Amino acid sequence: MDTIRIIEEKTDTVLRFNCCFDLKYQEPNYLWGVACQGRDKGLLIRYNLNTQRATIYRYPARFRAFAVDADGQFWLLTEYPNGDYKLLIFNRETAEFRPFFTAEDPSPLNNLFPYYITSSKNNTFWITTNRGLYKIVSGKTLKDNHFETYLDRT
């Protein structure tokens, strides 16, 4: 997305950002991307290919990568200014961000440096990190959420 001149629909101004990590296509004419402004602002960008305008969803931490689940929600790897990493879920219908938790750990990505996330079947996600490969299963309740080491590199 860093090669596209992005004009924000709301303000009719050119969006300035200093990094871009990931890109997804949504039928019929949208590109979604994650970018950052400085060290502490994440941008989730919905770019309309027809109008060449974008809707920007801002968050007070940087996004590194994202995946889409079967319900169309985005799962975002998020880097906070203090060095913590968390997993957020963005609901496109409500335009709300919420953190992913497990019953055992409110922040399963602590002490990890995540690189990439991808979705699989049955609400399963795979995350590559500096310490190996991790599997996340999203259940119907907090008790059903699981985060487990699949391949440890430590």
Side-chain angles (χ1 to χ4, degrees), residues 25-105:
Y25 178 73
Q26 176 196 354
E27 293 285 345
N29 60 340
Y30 292 105
L31 286 178
W32 287 84
V34 291
C36 57
Q37 286 180 320
R39 177 123 173 88
D40 60 351
K41 291 186 182 91
L43 306 173
L44 178 60
I45 301 167
R46 186 185 74 172
Y47 183 77
N48 185 317
L49 293 166
N50 290 339
T51 66
Q52 298 183 354
R53 299 282 192 262
T55 302
I56 313 299
Y57 303 94
R58 290 174 168 79
Y59 193 78
R62 288 171 42 143
F63 301 131
R64 298 201 50 80
F66 71 110
V68 183
D69 69 15
D71 296 326
Q73 296 185 113
F74 291 136
W75 291 66
L76 298 118
L77 297 176
T78 309
E79 176 185 4
Y80 288 80
N82 66 359
D84 286 345
Y85 293 90
K86 295 185 180 174
L87 186 57
L88 290 179
I89 302 165
F90 178 78
N91 183 318
R92 289 189 286 185
E93 291 182 22
T94 63
E96 294 176 336
F97 294 97
R98 68 177 172 84
F100 174 84
F101 298 111
T102 65
E104 303 83 31
D105 193 346

Side-chain angles (χ1 to χ4, degrees), residues 1-6 15 17 19-20 23 31 35 45 47:
M1 293 199 94
D2 57 347
T3 60
I4 302 171
R5 185 171 182 246
I6 298 175
L15 181 66
F17 56 94
C19 64
C20 184
L23 189 64
L31 286 178
I45 301 167
Y47 183 77

Side-chain angles (χ1 to χ4, degrees), residues 124-151:
T124 301
F125 297 85
W126 298 91
I127 297 176
T128 58
T129 75
N130 62 323
R131 297 177 84 187
L133 180 63
Y134 293 82
K135 178 181 174 183
I136 289 180
V137 177
S138 174
K140 298 220 181 278
T141 68
L142 178 66
K143 193 175 177 181
D144 297 327
N145 290 343
H146 295 287
F147 182 83
E148 61 189 68
T149 303
Y150 187 77
L151 183 60

